[in-house]
Amino acid sequence: MNNKFINGDDAVAEGVRLARPHVISAYPITPQTITVERLSEFVEDKSLDSIYMHVESEHSALACAIGVSSVGARAFTATSSQGLLYMAENLPYASGARLPIVMMNANRALATPWNIYGDQMDSMFLLNSGWIQVYVEDAQEALDMMIQAYRIAEDKNVMTPMMVNLDGFVLTHTYELVDIPSQELVDSFLPPITMPNNSMSIENPKSLCISAGNDFNMEFKIKQENDMKNSISTIEQIDKEFEKVFGRGYNGMLEEYMTKDADAILITTGSITGTTRIVVDNMRKIGKKVGLIKLRYLRPFPDEYIRKAVENIKSVGIIDKNISFGYEGTIFTNVNSALVHLEKTPNMHNFIGGLGGRDITKQNLEDAFNSLLLSANGEKQDRIMYMNVRCQND
Amino acid sequence: MNKPKLKKWKEPINISNYPLGATCESNHLVSINAGWRTYRPVINQDKCVKCLRCFLVCPDGVIDKSKELLEIDYDYCKGCGVCAYECKFDAIDMVKEEK
Ligand code: SF4
Ligand code: SF4
């Protein structure tokens, strides 16, 4: 065991070092900055044998990664917030070309009003970009997912870029004891990259990012959709294998915590899961039947697992650190759509909170659970509730 | 003429047989593409001094210089007229296509 007291950004950098990308192309942006600073230091001190490309923008950062991946090399990039949106044009190029690029995104609020703190508006924007999206709970999971991400993205049945999301500041800048696995162990788990036939070389020239007219375009997209959906089994199998090798796993697509006999549960993504676990423990001690589902992947979306996990639960709350303006929280929409196949759907409630880095406290979570328990008891509760708001929402 | 050969594209029967990603082998031409041409450039070989200006400026790279005389690949020339405009020797005429 090699434990280090590091923050989430450091943990990502350590994970990336162990995954040995050939090229790192990134532009610094708070709260991702520490990650790319560390990586450039690793390249400088030769503890990582990679090329570090100093690019002038996020758009170029991903464009470089696309070039790197197109010749069959392992690419890494990292961004956050407006930087991710600046990259946005290139995201579907990477996913459509089926290039297994791995990106770290430090979840951060979007303009405007602008700030640098954490919410999840940025990655929700790109839910339709064709990238696999995973959300991690702590720094250890962040490190581990960098290693898993390359295995998943580069799997010949998946061949899809992957975005590893960690909450700005709460994870990126908070220090934890993190186990850094040995290079030998990581090498045994993550072999060198091999591309099926969508990369090129001097001997094997290719036309990249070709166009396909209205006669054939749609079939390419359906194939992409099929492969993304089928990647669920690969993601689970790789997580299981990871657990065997490293002694810790993450339950694949989602983790259920105290859900079996629960009347009310919250569905969480990312760092708020940790706080919610504690609230569940505390409320269980006083006999309240509450639980949680830690939703790890938003794309591919584990609809079947969600259905199974909630079918006997009376009321379900979804925490969304985002709003899809004009409707509701994005995860809420996605979960609801998964449940229409159930004979009897639970009472569904959306808790929107944490926007622009607003705290979601233990008390806020306890209030949410109490509201869900009331709902389970047949007392009407609002469909959408905001957490920790300063004033009346008239 | 030194041009890529047309390769017949066999349409997949199943989605899974489609190529992985929007990447294909280079020089893989599946159809000719010149249907939108209104005027065709015709090189007047008596005037042409083979300065290769047209060869360099043709946006579609369809002027071939591998033989004694320059040749235009009418399967892919889009009829833009850049070559005729740029020729300093007035050696290219734009001739109305007759259908
Ligand atoms: S530019 Fe005119 S003279 Fe020069 S090679 Fe072309 S046709 Fe001939
Ligand atoms: S008309 Fe245009 S496309 Fe055709 S040969 Fe001349 S420059 Fe090229």
Side-chain angles (χ1 to χ4, degrees), chain A residues 63-93:
Chain A
C64 286
I66 288 171
V68 168
S69 195
S70 297
V71 293
R74 191 173 278 167
F76 176 75
T77 187
T79 190
S80 176
S81 181
Q82 301 291 131
L84 179 66
L85 265 57
Y86 192 17
M87 263 184 193
E89 191 207 358
N90 282 331
L91 266 86
Y93 272 100

Side-chain angles (χ1 to χ4, degrees), chain A residues 96-98 196 198 205-210 216 219-220 223 226, chain B residues 9 11-12 15-27:
Chain A
R98 310 294 298 276
N198 59 335
K206 292 271 170 90
S207 298
L208 305 175
C209 300
I210 56 165
F216 291 110
E219 285 71 19
F220 278 89
K223 183 185 172 94
N226 291 349
Chain B
W9 143 258
E11 186 174 346
I15 293 275
S16 56
N17 294 334
Y18 266 76
L20 180 83
T23 302
C24 71
E25 140 194 19
S26 285
N27 296 334

Side-chain angles (χ1 to χ4, degrees), chain A residues 35-227:
Chain A
T35 297
V36 297
E37 282 174 356
R38 283 300 165 272
L39 286 169
S40 73
E41 286 163 17
F42 294 162
V43 172
E44 175 90 32
D45 70 20
K46 300 196 166 47
S47 62
L48 171 59
D49 183 18
S50 294
I51 294 168
Y52 191 104
M53 290 181 75
H54 298 271
V55 290
E56 91 296 352
S57 76
E58 286 85 357
H59 191 275
S60 303
L62 187 51
C64 286
I66 288 171
V68 168
S69 195
S70 297
V71 293
R74 191 173 278 167
F76 176 75
T77 187
T79 190
S80 176
S81 181
Q82 301 291 131
L84 179 66
L85 265 57
Y86 192 17
M87 263 184 193
E89 191 207 358
N90 282 331
L91 266 86
Y93 272 100
S95 58
R98 310 294 298 276
L99 301 173
I101 298 163
V102 171
M103 171 191 332
M104 167 265 209
N105 179 52
N107 287 116
R108 184 189 120 178
L110 294 180
T112 181
W114 175 95
N115 83 25
I116 57 170
Y117 302 110
D119 68 28
Q120 296 175 344
M121 295 283 274
D122 54 358
S123 52
M124 295 299 155
F125 230 86
L126 278 314
L127 218 48
N128 292 349
S129 62
W131 284 55
I132 295 174
Q133 281 199 7
V134 68
Y135 292 76
V136 303
E137 180 179 347
D138 55 31
Q140 184 71 63
E141 190 179 358
L143 184 151
D144 292 347
M145 284 318 294
M146 300 323 298
I147 298 162
Q148 281 202 27
Y150 281 104
R151 264 294 296 275
I152 294 166
E154 292 170 7
D155 188 283
K156 67 177 186 341
N157 296 317
V158 180
M159 289 305 287
T160 297
M162 181 148 166
M163 188 190 298
V164 180
N165 289 284
L166 58 164
D167 286 313
F169 290 100
V170 179
L171 292 184
T172 58
H173 286 61
T174 306
Y175 282 72
E176 292 171 37
L177 211 50
V178 175
D179 169 44
I180 320 268
S182 71
Q183 187 69 61
E184 296 70 49
L185 216 52
V186 174
D187 288 348
S188 74
F189 175 81
L190 177 66
I193 183 172
T194 51
M195 301 272 275
N197 53 10
N198 59 335
S199 69
M200 69 161 183
S201 59
I202 301 277
E203 299 73 41
N204 187 17
K206 292 271 170 90
S207 298
L208 305 175
C209 300
I210 56 165
S211 66
N214 50 8
D215 42 3
F216 291 110
N217 196 296
M218 186 157 163
E219 285 71 19
F220 278 89
K221 300 282 160 53
I222 295 174
K223 183 185 172 94
Q224 200 180 334
E225 162 70 349
N226 291 349
D227 291 355

Side-chain angles (χ1 to χ4, degrees), chain B residues 43-44 47-55 63 70 83 86-92:
Chain B
I43 301 176
N44 185 335
K47 286 193 190 165
C48 172
V49 300
K50 220 178 170 188
C51 70
L52 297 187
R53 190 174 170 88
C54 57
F55 167 85
I63 302 179
L70 290 189
C83 53
E86 291 293 336
C87 175
K88 299 292 182 203
F89 299 89
D90 275 334
I92 301 181

Side-chain angles (χ1 to χ4, degrees), chain A residues 56 231 316 363 392:
Chain A
E56 91 296 352
S231 70
V316 174
Q363 187 59 53
Q392 289 297 320

Side-chain angles (χ1 to χ4, degrees), chain A residues 236-307:
Chain A
E236 289 177 317
Q237 173 240 314
I238 288 173
D239 188 45
K240 284 209 184 84
E241 205 182 307
F242 186 92
E243 188 166 1
K244 262 197 215 119
V245 176
F246 298 92
R248 53 179 176 264
Y250 296 96
N251 285 287
M253 304 304 288
L254 54 80
E255 181 202 332
E256 292 179 57
Y257 186 68
M258 314 284 271
T259 54
K260 287 293 163 267
D261 63 336
D263 290 328
I265 60 155
L266 276 172
I267 298 184
T268 58
T269 43
S271 59
I272 195 62
T273 310
T275 323
T276 313
R277 276 180 209 277
I278 293 166
V279 174
V280 168
D281 290 346
N282 291 343
M283 292 182 78
R284 282 276 172 177
K285 276 185 206 138
I286 52 168
K288 298 200 174 177
K289 287 183 173 176
V290 294
L292 78 88
I293 294 175
K294 170 188 174 184
L295 188 52
R296 300 187 66 236
Y297 283 85
L298 290 189
R299 289 294 181 272
F301 195 67
D303 58 329
E304 265 185 59
Y305 290 90
I306 293 177
R307 272 198 291 284

